[in-house]
Amino acid sequence: MSRPSRRHFVAHALLAGVASACAEGPSASPARAPGQKPAPPPAPPPGAPAAGDAVTAQTIAEAEKLVRVRSAPAAREQMARSWQTNMGPSFALRERPPLDPSLAPATVWDPRAAAGALPPPARANRLLPSRRPGPAAPPASEAELAHAPVSLLSRWLKQRKLTSRALTELYLQRLEAFDPKLKCVITLTRAIALEQADRADRELDQGKVRGPLHGVPYGLKDLLDTAGVATTWGAEPYRGRVPSEDAAVVKRLREAGAVLVAKLSLGALALNDVWFGGQTKNPWLLEEGSSGSSAGSGSAVAAGCVGFAIGSETLGSIVSPASRCGVVGLRPTFGRVARTGAMTLCWSLDKLGPMARAVEDTALVLGAISGPDPGDASSVPSAFDFDADAPVKGLRVGFVRAWLDGASEAERGALEAAKRAGMQAVEVAFPDLPYGGLLPALFAEAAASFDELVRSGRVDQLGTPNDDAWPNFFRQARLLSAVDLVQAERLRRQVARALDELMRRVDLLLVPALRDEALTATNFSGHPSLTLRAGFVEIDRIRSDYAPPPGRELPALAPKRRVPQGVTLVGRLFDEATLCRAGMALERELGVAGERPPGF
C-alpha cells in the first residue's frame, strides 16, 4: 500500500500559500489632542538612507499578484517612491555580516502557554525499567545480539555477562560491513567508541552504574555537534565543518555512559534521505530510500548496526523513517530536550528524539537526554516519570474513524490491539482547520536560518533541483510577507488550543503514521508522538520523499514486496510516559517487533 508523501503535501501547501514580496509602509498616526487637525503623513527625513534597488509601480503591481490584493494606481506610485527609504532598514540588515547561527529569534514558542495550560509542576525524574524476566544470558548468535533491545543489553552489561568493548566492536564491524549497501554512515567514530567502551567497562567492573545506557553503543544524526569530529548536516557546503564543542544531547549521553560509534546520515539540511554521499537505503527494501531526514538513524537501527540512535524532527523526520524502516521513533514534546549544538532548521519546531528497536528503549534514552540548557531558549524544565510496568487498562485512545477506514489493515489492527490491552477506544473528530496555512512559519524560519547560504549562491551545491527541495523552498520563502507570517502564527495558536481541548477528552490519539493533518498539527503545536511497527504491508511501487518529475512515476515493483508499516500515537504535552506505556502494551499485543530485515 502506498500513499502520497508528506513532502508532496508540503510542496502543494507551499505553492498554494506563497504570499507577497511587497510590504506597506508605516501607517500609524501620531497621537493628537481633541479637535486638533490630523498631521500630514510624515515625509522621509532629509538625507534618509535609501537601500536596495529602486522599484516601479509596475513592480508593485506584479508583486500584488502573489499576495492576491489590489492597490489603486496612486497607492502603487507612493509605495514605489518610498520603498527604498521605508524598507531601508530591512535591506541594510541583509547587507550586514550574517547573524551568529546560535542566535535565536526573540519570540519563543511555548506549547503550554499557547494551549492555555499551566506549566507542569517541577518534579524529579523517575525512570523504572521493566521488571519482566528476560533471557538470562546474551544469545550466541552475533546477529541476534546486535538486534537485541537496549533494555536487555543494559541488563547483560550491568550483570557483566557482556562487555561494552565486545558489543562496540560488534556494532563497528556491522557498520563497516553493511554501510556500502545502506549508506547510513557519514563518520565512523572508532577511536572515540573504543575509548568510551573501555571506560564504561572499567566503571561497570567497579560497580559504578550510570544508568540503563551505560556501555550501550549508539549512533548520532549528523546534525548534532561533536567536538573535533566533523558534523556535516549531510550537505556538501558543510562537509568540512568541525565543531569545537559537543551538543548538549551528546554531553548527556556521555554522562549516561553511552558509547558513540557513528555519525549517521541525514538528507541534506534535514530534508529527505539524499545526502552528499548518496541515498540512505531501507534495510527491508534496498531499492528505496530509508526516508528522511533521520535517514541513517532509521536505517542503522533497523539493520542492527547500533543499539539506538538520535534523530530529529521538524515535520515528520522521525515519524517517516521510523515507519518505513520498521523501528520505534519517539518525538518528544517541543522544549523537553535541549537543542544546543544542533543544526537549526526552524527554531520553533525542531525537536530531538530517540529511535530504537523497542518502545521501552526510547523511554530509557529520553530519560537520559531530557532537560533544559541555557543555550536553547525554548528548552524548559520537565519531569519524566516513567514506570515501564504501570498498567494501561482504562486509558482512553482517541481515533478518527475515516482515517482508519482508509488506512492499512496493520494500522486498523493497532486499535484492536489497544482494546485487547484494556484500553478504551474513543471516536473523536479532529479539528477542521487549514493546517497548510501553518507552513509559512516553517519556511520563513528555515530561510532565515540559511539566508547566507542562499545569498552566497552555495545553496546550489546541495544538488537538489526538485521543486520540493530546500533551494526552491528557501527562495520562495523570500516572497512571504511579514503579515502572512503573523497570520500563520495566530493560526498556530488556534491549532494548539483546539488540540488541547481534544486531548482533554482522551489520553492519547492513534493515527496512521503519516496522516498529514495530524503530522502537521501536532508538530506545530508541540505535542509528542510515538511511531512503532504495527505490522506489514505489500507495496507495488518504490516510495520516495521527493515528488517524481512531471510525467514520470516512481519505479514499479514486481512482484510486490513485504515491508513494515508503522502507526503513530500522539500524547498530551509532556506526557511521554503514558505514550510509552501504551506503546509497550501495543507492542506486546501486536507481536511483530521481533522480525528482522532479511540479510541483516
Side-chain angles (χ1 to χ4, degrees):
M1 177 181 174
S2 170
R3 58 168 71 97
S5 156
R6 63 192 168 97
R7 295 299 174 194
H8 299 189
F9 168 72
V10 168
H12 174 77
L14 174 69
L15 295 175
V18 168
S20 174
C22 68
E24 298 179 0
S27 60
S29 301
R32 61 181 187 273
Q36 182 181 354
K37 292 183 178 180
D53 297 329
V55 299
T56 66
Q58 182 60 29
T59 306
I60 301 295
E62 290 298 315
E64 286 178 350
K65 294 177 182 178
L66 295 176
V67 77
R68 299 169 71 180
V69 299
R70 291 181 62 84
S71 301
R76 290 175 185 154
E77 291 286 353
Q78 183 184 37
M79 292 166 69
R81 182 174 63 251
S82 59
W83 179 258
Q84 289 174 288
T85 51
N86 287 352
M87 298 295 109
S90 174
F91 295 128
L93 182 60
R94 298 176 196 177
E95 293 164 3
R96 290 173 56 86
L99 296 170
D100 188 304
S102 66
L103 195 63
T107 53
V108 174
W109 175 255
D110 185 337
R112 299 166 301 180
L118 294 175
R123 307 189 305 274
N125 284 350
R126 186 175 69 123
L127 190 64
L128 298 178
S130 174
R131 277 82 74 192
R132 293 171 181 266
S141 163
E142 289 188 342
E144 289 184 24
L145 176 61
H147 283 273
V150 170
S151 58
L152 288 180
L153 295 176
S154 175
R155 187 178 302 177
W156 295 328
L157 285 164
K158 183 179 177 181
Q159 294 171 350
R160 309 311 290 138
K161 296 176 180 178
L162 177 67
T163 68
S164 179
R165 175 81 182 210
L167 187 59
T168 298
E169 287 180 338
L170 172 61
Y171 282 133
L172 288 170
Q173 290 168 6
R174 291 178 67 85
L175 286 165
E176 290 177 330
F178 293 132
D179 186 59
K181 293 180 180 180
L182 299 175
K183 298 188 186 303
C184 62
V185 177
I186 294 182
T187 303
L188 197 71
T189 57
R190 173 177 289 278
I192 292 173
L194 295 177
E195 178 187 355
Q196 292 180 346
D198 288 343
R199 182 170 62 248
D201 282 331
R202 287 194 301 270
E203 292 179 341
L204 290 167
D205 285 340
Q206 296 165 3
K208 179 180 180 180
V209 181
R210 292 178 177 266
L213 304 185
H214 199 167
V216 179
Y218 76 99
L220 193 67
K221 185 174 180 177
D222 200 32
L223 52 57
L224 283 153
D225 283 352
T226 41
V229 179
T231 301
T232 71
W233 303 347
E236 181 65 38
Y238 303 98
R239 187 197 284 245
R241 181 180 175 277
V242 180
S244 59
E245 188 175 351
D246 286 332
V249 162
V250 177
K251 293 177 182 178
R252 287 172 182 165
L253 288 171
R254 185 172 62 247
E255 292 166 0
V259 175
L260 175 63
V261 292
K263 302 294 292 294
L264 301 173
S265 63
L266 67 155
L269 302 185
L271 178 63
N272 295 288
D273 47 27
V274 180
W275 57 291
F276 61 78
Q279 184 183 37
T280 301
K281 300 299 183 178
N282 178 5
W284 293 89
L285 181 59
L286 292 173
E287 293 96 322
E288 73 176 2
S290 63
S291 189
S293 65
S294 302
S297 298
S299 179
V301 168
C305 292
V306 292
F308 67 92
I310 300 297
S312 73
E313 173 151 328
T314 303
L315 189 60
S317 289
I318 289 176
V319 172
S320 188
S323 180
R324 187 174 297 182
C325 296
V327 301
V328 182
L330 176 57
R331 184 191 77 208
T333 304
F334 179 80
R336 179 184 278 283
V337 179
R339 303 162 303 174
T340 309
M343 185 199 87
T344 297
L345 182 64
C346 185
W347 287 275
S348 68
L349 278 169
D350 295 344
K351 297 161 284 282
L352 303 172
M355 302 178 74
R357 287 180 289 274
V359 173
E360 183 179 1
D361 295 355
T362 63
L364 300 179
V365 177
L366 183 62
I369 65 176
S370 286
D373 183 84
D376 180 1
S378 297
S379 61
V380 296
S382 57
F384 182 51
D385 188 0
F386 174 71
D387 181 350
D389 292 330
V392 297
K393 185 176 181 180
L395 286 180
R396 297 163 300 169
V397 181
F399 71 98
V400 178
R401 186 173 300 280
W403 292 0
L404 288 184
D405 286 347
S408 67
E409 183 177 346
E411 290 164 304
R412 292 194 297 273
L415 183 62
E416 296 306 312
K419 294 177 185 177
R420 292 197 300 272
M423 293 181 250
Q424 177 186 354
V426 179
E427 185 173 353
V428 298
F430 202 75
D432 184 14
L433 293 168
Y435 297 110
L438 296 167
L439 294 173
L442 188 164
F443 295 123
E445 289 194 37
S449 183
F450 289 101
D451 185 41
E452 189 277 333
L453 183 70
V454 175
R455 290 194 287 123
S456 69
R458 293 186 300 135
V459 71
D460 293 328
Q461 296 177 25
L462 296 181
T464 45
N466 307 57
D467 290 352
D468 54 347
W470 281 138
N472 191 41
F473 286 154
F474 290 160
R475 293 184 181 108
Q476 287 180 318
R478 271 290 186 182
L479 307 182
L480 292 167
S481 78
V483 172
D484 289 302
L485 176 58
V486 171
Q487 297 293 56
E489 293 293 358
R490 295 175 69 200
L491 172 61
R492 186 178 192 175
R493 189 174 296 273
Q494 183 182 12
V495 168
R497 288 176 175 174
L499 288 184
D500 180 64
E501 182 177 345
L502 172 60
M503 296 305 295
R504 291 174 187 272
R505 296 176 50 205
V506 296
D507 297 295
L508 60 151
L509 294 174
L510 187 150
V511 299
L514 290 174
R515 185 73 196 189
D516 288 333
E517 301 95 319
L519 186 71
T520 304
T522 59
N523 264 291
F524 276 87
S525 66
H527 284 78
S529 75
L530 179 76
T531 300
L532 67 152
R533 190 188 303 178
F536 294 85
V537 295
E538 290 189 337
I539 61 171
D540 59 7
R541 194 168 296 278
I542 293 296
R543 298 164 295 179
S544 173
D545 289 353
Y546 280 130
R552 292 179 56 186
E553 291 186 339
L554 294 167
L557 295 168
K560 293 180 179 182
R561 306 295 180 84
R562 180 175 178 269
V563 293
Q565 175 60 54
V567 70
T568 294
L569 303 177
V570 176
R572 292 174 172 174
L573 295 174
F574 295 98
D575 193 16
E576 288 88 346
T578 298
L579 204 56
C580 290
R581 286 193 291 111
M584 289 178 65
L586 275 183
E587 195 173 57
R588 288 192 294 268
E589 288 292 335
L590 291 166
V592 295
E595 185 172 340
R596 307 197 306 261
F600 295 94

